[in-house]
Amino acid sequence: VMTVTATATSVKIGASPMTKRKQLIMLPPSDGTIYWGSDPGVTASTGIPLSAGDGNVTFDIKPSSNMTIYAVSDGTDRVIKLIEGA
């Protein structure tokens, strides 16, 4: 579980991404919308929306890529569920 706020932050469970993470699954918030992207400055204007009622978003990640996903809320703190796999 992760709370997405109005300040963009990297998507992960806990303090840092899982070591050698190969997959990240983001489930939508139960209310409202978050916006995600690969830029640490992602905003509601530049991000891809993930709204309540949408399907999950799955990222397949090469462990050596250091790929980071960032998310920001629609102005209200939103709780999302995450699954990381290695």
Side-chain angles (χ1 to χ4, degrees):
V1 174
M2 175 182 169
T3 300
V4 179
T5 68
T7 302
T9 189
S10 62
V11 176
K12 61 194 176 297
I13 297 172
S16 60
M18 174 185 278
T19 303
K20 298 184 181 182
R21 177 169 73 172
K22 293 180 182 175
Q23 190 172 62
L24 172 67
I25 302 171
M26 279 193 313
L27 286 68
S30 58
D31 294 311
T33 302
I34 65 162
Y35 301 87
W36 63 269
S38 60
D39 189 304
V42 67
T43 66
S45 298
T46 62
I48 300 168
L50 179 61
S51 301
D54 288 349
N56 303 338
V57 177
T58 302
F59 303 93
D60 291 321
I61 303 167
K62 291 182 180 179
S64 61
S65 74
N66 294 324
M67 179 181 155
T68 303
I69 301 298
Y70 298 89
V72 64
S73 73
D74 55 8
T76 301
D77 290 359
R78 303 293 180 190
V79 174
I80 60 171
K81 292 181 181 176
L82 302 170
I83 301 167
E84 289 181 303

Coordinates of all heavy atoms in Angstrom, one line a residue:
V1 N 0.9 -1.2 0.0 CA 0.0 0.0 0.0 C 0.9 1.2 0.0 O 1.9 1.3 0.7 CB -0.9 0.0 1.2 CG1 -1.7 1.3 1.3 CG2 -1.9 -1.2 1.2
M2 N 0.5 2.2 -0.8 CA 1.2 3.5 -0.8 C 0.2 4.6 -0.9 O -0.8 4.6 -1.6 CB 2.1 3.5 -2.1 CG 2.8 4.8 -2.3 SD 3.8 4.7 -3.8 CE 4.3 6.4 -4.0
T3 N 0.5 5.7 -0.2 CA -0.3 6.9 -0.3 C 0.3 7.9 -1.3 O 1.5 8.2 -1.1 CB -0.5 7.6 1.1 OG1 -1.1 6.7 2.0 CG2 -1.3 8.9 1.0
V4 N -0.4 8.2 -2.3 CA 0.1 9.2 -3.3 C -0.5 10.5 -2.9 O -1.7 10.7 -2.7 CB -0.4 8.7 -4.7 CG1 0.1 9.7 -5.8 CG2 0.1 7.3 -5.0
T5 N 0.4 11.5 -2.9 CA 0.1 12.9 -2.4 C 0.2 13.8 -3.6 O 0.5 13.4 -4.7 CB 1.0 13.3 -1.3 OG1 2.3 13.5 -1.8 CG2 1.0 12.4 -0.1
A6 N 0.0 15.1 -3.4 CA 0.1 16.1 -4.4 C 1.6 16.4 -4.8 O 1.8 17.2 -5.7 CB -0.6 17.4 -3.9
T7 N 2.5 15.8 -4.1 CA 3.9 15.9 -4.5 C 4.4 14.6 -5.1 O 4.2 13.5 -4.6 CB 4.8 16.1 -3.2 OG1 4.3 17.3 -2.5 CG2 6.3 16.2 -3.6
A8 N 4.9 14.7 -6.3 CA 5.3 13.5 -7.1 C 6.4 12.7 -6.3 O 7.3 13.3 -5.7 CB 5.9 13.9 -8.4
T9 N 6.2 11.4 -6.3 CA 7.1 10.5 -5.6 C 7.3 9.2 -6.4 O 6.4 8.8 -7.1 CB 6.7 10.3 -4.2 OG1 7.7 9.6 -3.4 CG2 5.4 9.5 -4.1
S10 N 8.4 8.5 -6.1 CA 8.5 7.2 -6.8 C 7.6 6.2 -6.3 O 7.3 6.1 -5.1 CB 10.0 6.7 -6.8 OG 10.4 6.5 -5.4
V11 N 7.1 5.3 -7.1 CA 6.2 4.2 -6.8 C 7.0 3.0 -6.3 O 7.8 2.5 -7.0 CB 5.3 3.9 -8.0 CG1 4.3 2.7 -7.6 CG2 4.5 5.1 -8.4
K12 N 6.8 2.7 -5.0 CA 7.5 1.5 -4.4 C 6.8 1.1 -3.2 O 6.0 1.9 -2.6 CB 8.9 1.9 -4.2 CG 9.1 3.0 -3.2 CD 10.5 3.6 -3.2 CE 10.6 4.8 -2.3 NZ 9.9 5.9 -2.7
I13 N 7.1 -0.1 -2.7 CA 6.6 -0.5 -1.4 C 7.7 -0.3 -0.4 O 8.8 -0.8 -0.6 CB 6.2 -2.0 -1.5 CG1 5.1 -2.3 -2.4 CG2 5.8 -2.5 -0.1 CD1 4.8 -3.7 -2.7
G14 N 7.5 0.4 0.6 CA 8.5 0.7 1.6 C 9.4 1.8 1.2 O 9.1 2.7 0.4
A15 N 10.6 1.8 1.8 CA 11.6 2.9 1.6 C 12.3 2.9 0.2 O 12.7 3.9 -0.3 CB 12.6 2.9 2.7
S16 N 12.4 1.7 -0.4 CA 13.1 1.6 -1.7 C 12.5 0.5 -2.5 O 11.9 -0.4 -2.0 CB 14.6 1.4 -1.5 OG 14.8 0.2 -0.8
P17 N 12.6 0.6 -3.9 CA 12.1 -0.5 -4.7 C 12.8 -1.9 -4.3 O 13.9 -1.9 -3.9 CB 12.5 -0.1 -6.1 CG 12.7 1.4 -6.1 CD 13.2 1.6 -4.7
M18 N 12.0 -2.9 -4.6 CA 12.5 -4.3 -4.3 C 13.8 -4.5 -5.2 O 13.9 -4.1 -6.3 CB 11.5 -5.3 -4.7 CG 11.9 -6.7 -4.7 SD 10.6 -7.8 -5.3 CE 9.6 -7.9 -3.8
T19 N 14.8 -5.1 -4.6 CA 16.1 -5.4 -5.3 C 15.8 -6.3 -6.4 O 15.0 -7.3 -6.3 CB 17.0 -6.1 -4.3 OG1 17.3 -5.2 -3.2 CG2 18.4 -6.4 -5.0
K20 N 16.3 -6.0 -7.6 CA 16.1 -6.8 -8.8 C 14.7 -6.9 -9.2 O 14.2 -7.9 -9.7 CB 16.8 -8.1 -8.7 CG 18.3 -8.0 -8.5 CD 19.0 -9.4 -8.5 CE 20.5 -9.2 -8.3 NZ 21.2 -10.4 -8.3
R21 N 13.9 -5.9 -8.9 CA 12.5 -5.9 -9.3 C 12.3 -6.1 -10.8 O 12.9 -5.4 -11.6 CB 11.9 -4.5 -8.8 CG 10.5 -4.3 -9.2 CD 9.9 -3.1 -8.5 NE 10.4 -1.8 -9.1 CZ 9.9 -0.6 -8.8 NH1 9.0 -0.5 -7.9 NH2 10.4 0.4 -9.4
K22 N 11.4 -7.1 -11.1 CA 11.2 -7.4 -12.5 C 9.7 -7.0 -12.9 O 9.4 -6.9 -14.1 CB 11.3 -8.9 -12.8 CG 12.8 -9.4 -12.6 CD 12.8 -10.8 -12.9 CE 14.2 -11.3 -12.7 NZ 14.3 -12.8 -12.8
Q23 N 8.9 -6.7 -11.9 CA 7.5 -6.4 -12.3 C 6.9 -5.5 -11.2 O 7.2 -5.6 -10.0 CB 6.6 -7.6 -12.4 CG 5.3 -7.3 -13.0 CD 4.5 -8.6 -13.3 OE1 4.2 -9.4 -12.4 NE2 4.2 -8.8 -14.6
L24 N 6.1 -4.5 -11.6 CA 5.4 -3.6 -10.7 C 4.0 -3.6 -11.2 O 3.7 -3.3 -12.4 CB 6.0 -2.2 -10.7 CG 5.3 -1.2 -10.0 CD1 5.3 -1.4 -8.5 CD2 5.9 0.2 -10.2
I25 N 3.1 -3.8 -10.3 CA 1.6 -3.7 -10.6 C 1.0 -2.7 -9.7 O 1.2 -2.7 -8.5 CB 0.9 -5.1 -10.4 CG1 1.6 -6.2 -11.3 CG2 -0.6 -5.0 -10.8 CD1 1.1 -7.6 -11.0
M26 N 0.4 -1.7 -10.4 CA -0.3 -0.6 -9.6 C -1.8 -0.8 -9.8 O -2.3 -0.9 -10.9 CB 0.0 0.8 -10.2 CG 1.3 1.4 -9.8 SD 1.4 3.1 -10.2 CE 0.9 3.2 -11.9
L27 N -2.5 -0.9 -8.6 CA -3.9 -1.0 -8.7 C -4.5 0.4 -8.5 O -3.9 1.2 -7.8 CB -4.4 -1.9 -7.5 CG -4.3 -3.4 -7.7 CD1 -2.8 -3.8 -7.7 CD2 -5.1 -4.2 -6.7
P28 N -5.6 0.7 -9.1 CA -6.1 2.1 -9.0 C -6.6 2.4 -7.6 O -6.9 1.6 -6.8 CB -7.3 2.1 -10.0 CG -7.7 0.7 -10.1 CD -6.5 -0.1 -9.9
P29 N -6.7 3.7 -7.3 CA -7.3 4.1 -6.0 C -8.8 3.8 -5.9 O -9.4 3.7 -7.0 CB -7.0 5.7 -6.0 CG -7.0 6.1 -7.4 CD -6.4 4.9 -8.1
S30 N -9.3 3.7 -4.8 CA -10.7 3.4 -4.6 C -11.6 4.6 -4.9 O -12.8 4.5 -5.3 CB -11.1 2.9 -3.2 OG -10.7 3.8 -2.3
D31 N -11.0 5.8 -4.8 CA -11.6 7.1 -5.2 C -10.6 8.0 -5.9 O -9.4 7.9 -5.6 CB -12.1 7.9 -3.9 CG -13.2 7.1 -3.1 OD1 -14.1 6.7 -3.7 OD2 -13.0 7.0 -1.9
G32 N -11.1 8.8 -6.8 CA -10.3 9.8 -7.4 C -9.3 9.3 -8.4 O -9.5 8.2 -9.0
T33 N -8.3 10.0 -8.7 CA -7.3 9.7 -9.7 C -5.9 10.0 -9.3 O -5.7 11.0 -8.5 CB -7.6 10.6 -11.0 OG1 -9.0 10.3 -11.4 CG2 -6.7 10.3 -12.1
I34 N -5.0 9.2 -9.7 CA -3.5 9.5 -9.6 C -3.0 9.6 -11.0 O -3.7 9.2 -12.0 CB -2.7 8.5 -8.8 CG1 -2.7 7.1 -9.6 CG2 -3.2 8.3 -7.4 CD1 -1.6 6.2 -9.1
Y35 N -1.9 10.2 -11.2 CA -1.2 10.4 -12.5 C 0.2 9.9 -12.4 O 0.9 10.2 -11.4 CB -1.2 11.9 -12.9 CG -2.6 12.5 -13.0 CD1 -3.2 13.0 -11.8 CD2 -3.4 12.4 -14.1 CE1 -4.5 13.5 -11.9 CE2 -4.7 12.9 -14.2 CZ -5.2 13.4 -13.0 OH -6.5 13.9 -13.1
W36 N 0.6 9.1 -13.3 CA 1.9 8.5 -13.3 C 2.7 8.7 -14.5 O 2.1 9.0 -15.6 CB 1.8 6.9 -13.0 CG 1.1 6.2 -14.1 CD1 -0.2 5.9 -14.1 CD2 1.7 5.6 -15.2 NE1 -0.5 5.1 -15.3 CE2 0.7 4.9 -16.0 CE3 3.0 5.5 -15.7 CZ2 0.9 4.3 -17.1 CZ3 3.2 4.8 -16.9 CH2 2.2 4.2 -17.6
G37 N 4.0 8.6 -14.4 CA 4.9 8.8 -15.5 C 6.3 8.4 -15.1 O 6.6 8.1 -14.0
S38 N 7.2 8.6 -16.1 CA 8.6 8.3 -15.8 C 9.5 9.5 -15.4 O 10.6 9.4 -15.0 CB 9.3 7.6 -17.0 OG 9.2 8.6 -18.1
D39 N 8.8 10.7 -15.4 CA 9.5 11.9 -15.0 C 9.3 12.2 -13.5 O 8.1 12.2 -13.0 CB 9.0 13.0 -15.8 CG 9.8 14.3 -15.7 OD1 9.9 14.8 -14.5 OD2 10.2 14.9 -16.7
P40 N 10.3 12.5 -12.7 CA 10.1 12.8 -11.3 C 9.3 14.1 -11.1 O 8.8 14.3 -10.0 CB 11.5 13.0 -10.7 CG 12.4 13.2 -11.9 CD 11.7 12.5 -13.1
G41 N 9.1 14.9 -12.1 CA 8.2 16.0 -12.0 C 6.8 15.8 -12.6 O 6.2 16.8 -12.9
V42 N 6.4 14.6 -12.6 CA 5.1 14.3 -13.2 C 4.0 15.1 -12.5 O 4.0 15.4 -11.3 CB 4.7 12.8 -13.1 CG1 4.5 12.3 -11.7 CG2 3.5 12.4 -13.9
T43 N 3.0 15.6 -13.3 CA 1.9 16.4 -12.8 C 0.6 15.8 -13.3 O 0.6 15.0 -14.2 CB 2.0 17.9 -13.2 OG1 1.9 17.9 -14.6 CG2 3.3 18.5 -12.8
A44 N -0.5 16.4 -12.9 CA -1.8 16.0 -13.5 C -1.9 16.3 -15.0 O -2.6 15.6 -15.7 CB -3.0 16.7 -12.7
S45 N -1.2 17.3 -15.4 CA -1.2 17.7 -16.8 C -0.3 16.8 -17.7 O -0.6 16.6 -18.9 CB -0.7 19.2 -16.9 OG -1.6 20.0 -16.3
T46 N 0.8 16.3 -17.1 CA 1.7 15.6 -17.9 C 1.7 14.0 -17.7 O 2.2 13.3 -18.5 CB 3.2 16.0 -17.6 OG1 3.5 15.7 -16.2 CG2 3.4 17.5 -17.9
G47 N 1.0 13.6 -16.6 CA 1.0 12.2 -16.3 C -0.2 11.4 -16.9 O -1.1 12.0 -17.5
I48 N -0.1 10.1 -16.9 CA -1.1 9.2 -17.4 C -2.1 8.9 -16.2 O -1.7 8.5 -15.2 CB -0.5 8.0 -17.9 CG1 0.5 8.3 -19.1 CG2 -1.6 7.0 -18.4 CD1 1.4 7.2 -19.5
P49 N -3.4 9.2 -16.4 CA -4.3 9.0 -15.3 C -4.6 7.5 -15.0 O -4.6 6.7 -15.9 CB -5.6 9.7 -15.8 CG -5.5 9.7 -17.3 CD -4.0 9.7 -17.6
L50 N -4.7 7.2 -13.7 CA -5.2 5.9 -13.2 C -6.3 6.3 -12.2 O -6.0 6.8 -11.1 CB -4.1 5.2 -12.6 CG -4.4 3.8 -12.0 CD1 -4.9 2.9 -13.1 CD2 -3.2 3.2 -11.3
S51 N -7.5 6.0 -12.6 CA -8.7 6.4 -11.8 C -9.4 5.2 -11.2 O -9.3 4.1 -11.6 CB -9.7 7.2 -12.7 OG -9.1 8.3 -13.3
A52 N -10.2 5.5 -10.1 CA -11.0 4.5 -9.5 C -11.9 3.9 -10.6 O -12.4 4.5 -11.5 CB -11.9 5.2 -8.5
G53 N -11.9 2.5 -10.6 CA -12.7 1.8 -11.6 C -11.9 1.3 -12.8 O -12.3 0.5 -13.5
D54 N -10.7 1.9 -12.9 CA -9.8 1.5 -14.0 C -9.2 0.1 -13.7 O -9.2 -0.3 -12.6 CB -8.6 2.5 -14.2 CG -9.1 3.8 -14.9 OD1 -10.2 3.9 -15.3 OD2 -8.2 4.7 -14.9
G55 N -8.6 -0.5 -14.7 CA -7.9 -1.8 -14.5 C -6.5 -1.5 -13.9 O -6.0 -0.3 -13.9
N56 N -5.8 -2.5 -13.6 CA -4.5 -2.4 -13.0 C -3.5 -2.0 -14.2 O -3.8 -2.2 -15.3 CB -4.0 -3.8 -12.5 CG -4.9 -4.3 -11.4 OD1 -5.6 -3.6 -10.8 ND2 -4.8 -5.6 -11.3
V57 N -2.4 -1.4 -13.8 CA -1.3 -1.1 -14.7 C -0.1 -2.0 -14.3 O 0.3 -2.0 -13.2 CB -0.9 0.4 -14.6 CG1 0.3 0.7 -15.5 CG2 -2.1 1.3 -14.9
T58 N 0.4 -2.7 -15.3 CA 1.6 -3.6 -15.1 C 2.8 -3.1 -15.8 O 2.7 -2.8 -17.0 CB 1.2 -5.0 -15.5 OG1 0.0 -5.5 -14.7 CG2 2.3 -6.0 -15.2
F59 N 3.9 -3.1 -15.1 CA 5.2 -2.8 -15.8 C 6.1 -4.0 -15.7 O 6.3 -4.5 -14.6 CB 5.9 -1.6 -15.0 CG 5.0 -0.4 -14.9 CD1 4.2 -0.2 -13.8 CD2 5.0 0.6 -15.9 CE1 3.4 1.0 -13.7 CE2 4.2 1.7 -15.9 CZ 3.4 1.9 -14.8
D60 N 6.6 -4.4 -16.8 CA 7.7 -5.4 -16.8 C 9.0 -4.7 -16.9 O 9.2 -3.8 -17.8 CB 7.5 -6.4 -18.0 CG 6.3 -7.2 -17.9 OD1 6.0 -7.7 -16.7 OD2 5.6 -7.4 -18.9
I61 N 9.9 -4.9 -15.9 CA 11.1 -4.2 -15.7 C 12.3 -5.0 -15.9 O 12.4 -6.1 -15.3 CB 11.1 -3.5 -14.3 CG1 9.8 -2.6 -14.2 CG2 12.3 -2.7 -14.1 CD1 9.6 -2.2 -12.7
K62 N 13.3 -4.6 -16.6 CA 14.6 -5.3 -16.7 C 15.3 -4.9 -15.4 O 15.5 -3.7 -15.1 CB 15.4 -4.8 -17.9 CG 14.8 -5.3 -19.2 CD 15.7 -4.9 -20.3 CE 15.1 -5.5 -21.6 NZ 15.9 -5.1 -22.8
P63 N 15.8 -5.8 -14.6 CA 16.4 -5.5 -13.3 C 17.6 -4.5 -13.4 O 17.8 -3.8 -12.5 CB 16.8 -6.8 -12.7 CG 15.9 -7.8 -13.4 CD 15.6 -7.2 -14.7
S64 N 18.3 -4.5 -14.5 CA 19.4 -3.7 -14.7 C 19.1 -2.3 -15.2 O 20.0 -1.4 -15.3 CB 20.4 -4.3 -15.6 OG 19.8 -4.5 -16.9
S65 N 17.8 -2.0 -15.4 CA 17.4 -0.8 -16.1 C 17.3 0.4 -15.1 O 17.3 1.6 -15.6 CB 16.1 -0.9 -16.8 OG 15.0 -1.0 -15.9
N66 N 17.1 0.2 -13.9 CA 16.8 1.3 -12.9 C 15.6 2.1 -13.3 O 15.5 3.3 -13.0 CB 18.1 2.2 -12.8 CG 19.2 1.5 -12.1 OD1 19.1 0.7 -11.3 ND2 20.4 1.8 -12.6
M67 N 14.6 1.5 -13.9 CA 13.4 2.1 -14.3 C 12.6 2.6 -13.0 O 12.5 1.8 -12.1 CB 12.5 1.2 -15.1 CG 11.2 1.7 -15.5 SD 10.3 0.5 -16.4 CE 8.7 1.0 -16.2
T68 N 12.2 3.8 -13.0 CA 11.5 4.4 -11.9 C 10.1 4.9 -12.4 O 10.1 5.6 -13.4 CB 12.3 5.5 -11.2 OG1 13.5 4.9 -10.8 CG2 11.5 6.0 -10.0
I69 N 9.1 4.6 -11.8 CA 7.7 5.2 -12.1 C 7.4 6.2 -10.9 O 7.6 5.9 -9.8 CB 6.7 4.1 -12.1 CG1 7.0 3.1 -13.2 CG2 5.3 4.7 -12.3 CD1 7.1 3.6 -14.6
Y70 N 6.9 7.3 -11.3 CA 6.5 8.4 -10.3 C 5.0 8.6 -10.4 O 4.4 8.4 -11.5 CB 7.3 9.7 -10.7 CG 8.8 9.5 -10.6 CD1 9.5 9.2 -11.6 CD2 9.4 9.8 -9.3 CE1 10.9 9.0 -11.6 CE2 10.8 9.6 -9.2 CZ 11.5 9.3 -10.4 OH 12.9 9.1 -10.2
A71 N 4.4 9.0 -9.3 CA 3.0 9.3 -9.3 C 2.7 10.5 -8.4 O 3.4 10.8 -7.5 CB 2.3 8.1 -8.7
V72 N 1.6 11.2 -8.8 CA 1.1 12.3 -8.0 C -0.4 12.2 -8.0 O -1.0 11.6 -8.9 CB 1.6 13.6 -8.8 CG1 1.0 13.8 -10.1 CG2 1.3 14.8 -7.9
S73 N -1.0 12.8 -6.9 CA -2.5 12.6 -6.8 C -3.2 13.8 -7.5 O -2.6 14.7 -8.0 CB -2.8 12.7 -5.3 OG -2.7 14.0 -4.8
D74 N -4.5 13.7 -7.5 CA -5.3 14.8 -8.0 C -5.5 15.9 -7.1 O -6.4 16.7 -7.3 CB -6.7 14.2 -8.5 CG -7.4 13.5 -7.3 OD1 -6.9 13.5 -6.2 OD2 -8.4 12.8 -7.6
G75 N -4.7 16.0 -6.0 CA -4.9 17.1 -5.1 C -5.3 16.5 -3.7 O -5.1 17.2 -2.7
T76 N -5.9 15.4 -3.7 CA -6.3 14.7 -2.4 C -5.4 13.5 -2.3 O -5.1 12.8 -3.3 CB -7.8 14.3 -2.5 OG1 -8.6 15.4 -2.7 CG2 -8.2 13.6 -1.3
D77 N -4.9 13.2 -1.1 CA -4.1 12.0 -0.9 C -4.9 10.7 -1.3 O -6.1 10.6 -0.9 CB -3.7 11.8 0.6 CG -2.7 12.9 1.0 OD1 -2.3 13.7 0.2 OD2 -2.3 12.8 2.2
R78 N -4.3 9.9 -2.1 CA -5.0 8.7 -2.6 C -4.2 7.5 -2.3 O -2.9 7.4 -2.5 CB -5.1 8.8 -4.1 CG -5.9 10.0 -4.6 CD -7.4 9.9 -4.2 NE -8.1 11.1 -4.7 CZ -9.3 11.4 -4.4 NH1 -9.9 10.6 -3.5 NH2 -9.9 12.4 -4.9
V79 N -4.8 6.4 -1.8 CA -4.1 5.2 -1.4 C -4.2 4.2 -2.6 O -5.3 4.0 -3.2 CB -4.8 4.5 -0.2 CG1 -4.1 3.2 0.1 CG2 -4.6 5.5 1.0
I80 N -3.1 3.7 -3.0 CA -3.1 2.7 -4.1 C -2.4 1.4 -3.5 O -1.6 1.5 -2.6 CB -2.3 3.1 -5.3 CG1 -0.8 3.5 -5.0 CG2 -3.0 4.3 -6.0 CD1 0.0 3.8 -6.3
K81 N -2.7 0.3 -4.1 CA -2.1 -1.0 -3.7 C -1.1 -1.3 -4.8 O -1.3 -1.0 -6.0 CB -3.1 -2.1 -3.6 CG -4.0 -1.9 -2.4 CD -5.1 -3.0 -2.3 CE -6.0 -2.7 -1.1 NZ -7.0 -3.7 -1.0
L82 N 0.0 -1.9 -4.4 CA 1.1 -2.2 -5.3 C 1.5 -3.7 -5.1 O 1.5 -4.2 -4.0 CB 2.4 -1.4 -5.0 CG 2.2 0.1 -5.1 CD1 3.4 0.8 -4.5 CD2 2.0 0.6 -6.5
I83 N 2.0 -4.3 -6.1 CA 2.6 -5.6 -6.1 C 4.0 -5.5 -6.8 O 4.1 -5.0 -7.9 CB 1.8 -6.7 -6.8 CG1 0.4 -6.7 -6.1 CG2 2.5 -8.0 -6.7 CD1 -0.6 -7.5 -6.9
E84 N 5.1 -5.9 -6.1 CA 6.4 -5.9 -6.8 C 6.8 -7.4 -6.9 O 6.6 -8.2 -5.9 CB 7.4 -5.2 -5.9 CG 7.2 -3.7 -5.9 CD 8.3 -3.0 -5.1 OE1 8.4 -3.3 -3.9 OE2 9.0 -2.1 -5.6
G85 N 7.5 -7.7 -7.9 CA 7.9 -9.1 -8.1 C 9.4 -9.1 -8.6 O 9.8 -8.2 -9.3
A86 N 10.1 -10.1 -8.1 CA 11.5 -10.2 -8.5 C 11.8 -11.6 -9.1 O 11.0 -12.5 -8.9 CB 12.5 -9.9 -7.3

